[in-house]
Every structure is written in structure tokens, then in C-alpha cells.
Amino acid sequence: MPPDAELLPPIVLTFAASDPTGGAGVQADLLTLASLGCHPLSVVTGLTVQDTAGVEDVLPVDAGWVADQARALLEDIPVTVFKFGMLCSVETIAAIAEIVNDYPSIPLVFDPVLASGRGDQLADDEMVDAMLGLLLPRTTVLTPNSLEARRLVLDEDEGEDGPTLPECARRLVNAGAEFVLVTGTHENTLQITNTLYGQRGRVCEDSWERLPGSYHGSGCTLASAIAANLANGLGIEDAVRDAQDYTWHALAAGFRPGMGQYIPDRFFWARGEEECGDD
Ligand code: PXL
């Protein structure tokens, strides 16, 4: 007997690589999606060797295996939203583009992971080209930080500074993304300003107190929270705003389990005040 969709929690399928620290990657997605009331399905695109300071090595999962994992799930379980994180190879990008194109009505949140917080390169130029050509036309919300937005649209002839962030967003929308949320953590500003762009330019903007720590997995948390909020039925603007609020609270309650970056606490709401951090 097929399942009664009414009785299911919203189901989000994430394609992401494993981060054994639990800070970023598929582990971050699982924690965030579960914390926001969704059931996560996860297709692992690669393994990493890393600690809370940085990524030492990446082992991509064979693209055929990525595709087989996804097809098996999609033939069995109704997915409400797709989420993409670190994709690990051009072959995997091509394989999952083909798969999600078979499900055109399922919204897709795409976090274009290009580098770790420390700056370790996690995508080469061929992967960037494949993301632009194959994934952006299928993307509902793209969530680059400002460095990723600039690199995605980089034109060697444009000199030192490159295009402004609104211009980057315009090009990403032209490349096919329905909405682009450019996050401002890496900009030299007192507060952090995140701006949502759509077909007609800027849609809305939210500013947040800049927290003092350096965090591992904030981008994965934000993109997964947007995916969860969409799966829970929110419209784009509310999903994006509530996801920023959730992420800010997860970061504010973050903890430092090792010698590197802080990790967001996606279950901050489940812990007592006294266990939630340092004050
Ligand atoms: O934060 C981006 C990210 C995503 N996924 C994996 C990662 C990282 C950053 O280190 O390791 C697996």
C-alpha cells in the first residue's frame, strides 16, 4: 500500500559530502533538517578527511553510485525539496542534473560549495562551469557567500575588484537561478547583510549582528534551513528570512569542540540555557 502523504513529515533530499566533524556537509544538513521538523534523505557525494580547522583530503563517490543512491530513493519516497551542497566532481554534477531534471516541480536549494572556511579549494574551474551550465537553470534558491558569488561569475578581463555583488547576482539569475541569496559574512562590514535577489533585482535584505567566532558549517546550516522552511510550506521570502534567524541562533549557541572553528548548535532549542554556551 502506498504511504499516506498526509501522515509523513516533509521530506528533503540532500546531496552532500561527509564532514566527520559534524560541523558542515551532510551531517550539518541532517541535524538542521531534523531540527526543523523534516525527515532528511541523504545521498553522499564524497568523503572528506578534516578536522575543525580545515579539509585535508576529499574522496569523491563514483558518479554512478551517487545516481543510483538518488534513483533508489526517488522511486520509493516522495521528496518535497532538494538541497545540494558539496558535489565533488563534474561527473556527479552531470548525473544529478539529469536526475533533478526528471522532477521539475520539486524546488531545489543549491549551496555552491567552492572552498572551506580555511580556504581549501573544494571545486575546480570545470566544476564551476558545470554548476553554472547544468545546475543553475534548475535552481530555485542559490546561496553563495560573496566570495562564491564573485568566483561563479568571474571574468578574467574585469580587473582587480570584479563586478559588484548586485551585478554578480544579476548574472547568476541570468544563468538560470530563480533566486540568489548572497550572504555577507566575508564583507568588511560592521553587521552582516544578506541580500535576496530575483528576476527583477533586489527582493529583500536582512542585517544581523556579527558574532565574534569563526564557524564551520554556517552555509550548510543556512541552505538546509531554507530547504526545510520551503518543505514546511513557507514562501521564498519567509523561508529565507526565518532560515537566517535560525542560523544566527545556531551560531550564537555554537561551541568549539576542537582546536579550530566553532560548530553551530542546530539543536540550541532542545538544550537548557545553562548548557547552551558561555553566557
Ligand atoms: O562548508 C562547506 C562544506 C560543505 N561540505 C563539506 C565541507 C565543507 C567545508 O569544509 O567539508 C563536506
Side-chain angles (χ1 to χ4, degrees):
M1 207 169 46
D4 185 344
E6 299 268 301
L7 301 176
L8 297 172
I11 294 172
V12 176
L13 169 52
T14 179
F15 295 78
S18 164
D19 171 4
T21 73
V26 70
Q27 290 83 355
D29 296 353
L30 300 180
L31 287 163
T32 303
L33 294 166
S35 173
L36 292 171
C38 294
H39 174 66
L41 306 182
S42 46
V43 166
V44 176
T45 56
L47 305 178
T48 66
V49 176
Q50 63 178 300
D51 57 20
T52 54
V55 179
E56 295 301 329
D57 216 343
V58 179
L59 177 68
V61 167
D62 175 79
W65 271 77
V66 172
D68 286 351
Q69 291 178 73
R71 291 278 186 209
L73 293 171
L74 285 160
E75 276 157 31
D76 184 34
I77 303 173
V79 169
T80 311
V81 175
F82 292 125
K83 190 254 166 182
F84 287 175
M86 184 175 157
L87 300 176
C88 298
S89 75
V90 170
E91 292 74 17
T92 285
I93 292 172
I96 64 179
E98 203 176 311
I99 290 172
V100 295
N101 284 340
D102 286 345
Y103 298 83
S105 62
I106 301 180
L108 193 164
V109 179
F110 179 20
D111 177 18
V113 175
L114 304 183
S116 76
R118 184 170 70 182
D120 310 297
Q121 177 105 324
L122 301 177
D124 59 23
D125 289 346
E126 287 73 42
M127 285 176 65
V128 167
D129 286 346
M131 288 176 189
L132 288 169
L134 300 177
L135 298 185
L136 258 64
R138 182 56 190 81
T139 296
T140 313
V141 187
L142 183 76
T143 63
N145 62 38
S146 52
L147 307 178
E148 290 162 343
R150 291 192 184 97
R151 180 158 168 224
L152 284 169
V153 303
L154 187 73
D155 181 341
E156 299 291 338
D157 304 332
E158 273 181 309
E160 286 277 292
D161 292 339
T164 62
L165 291 176
E167 173 59 15
C168 291
R170 196 187 63 77
R171 292 184 196 177
L172 293 168
V173 167
N174 276 353
E178 206 176 329
F179 292 91
V180 179
L181 176 67
V182 181
T183 59
T185 321
H186 296 277
E187 298 303 285
N188 192 9
T189 50
L190 220 50
Q191 289 195 310
I192 291 177
T193 300
N194 303 327
T195 309
L196 181 69
Y197 299 88
Q199 321 276 332
R200 275 181 266 130
R202 203 182 75 154
V203 176
C204 58
E205 194 160 86
D206 292 289
S207 292
W208 304 88
E209 179 193 332
R210 189 179 278 282
L211 295 161
S214 165
Y215 296 92
H216 190 60
S218 50
C220 306
T221 306
L222 177 65
S224 289
I226 295 171
N229 290 342
L230 291 175
N232 279 315
L234 268 59
I236 299 280
E237 280 186 53
D238 287 341
V240 164
R241 197 190 172 284
D242 286 9
Q244 293 174 66
D245 188 64
Y246 169 81
T247 302
W248 190 90
H249 283 95
L251 296 178
F255 51 92
R256 190 171 181 234
M259 289 183 285
Q261 294 181 299
Y262 281 72
I263 285 180
D265 182 1
R266 289 89 179 188
F267 276 92
F268 59 87
W269 54 265
R271 292 184 232 285
E273 283 279 300
E274 68 281 1
E275 290 163 84
C276 242
D278 42 16
D279 55 351

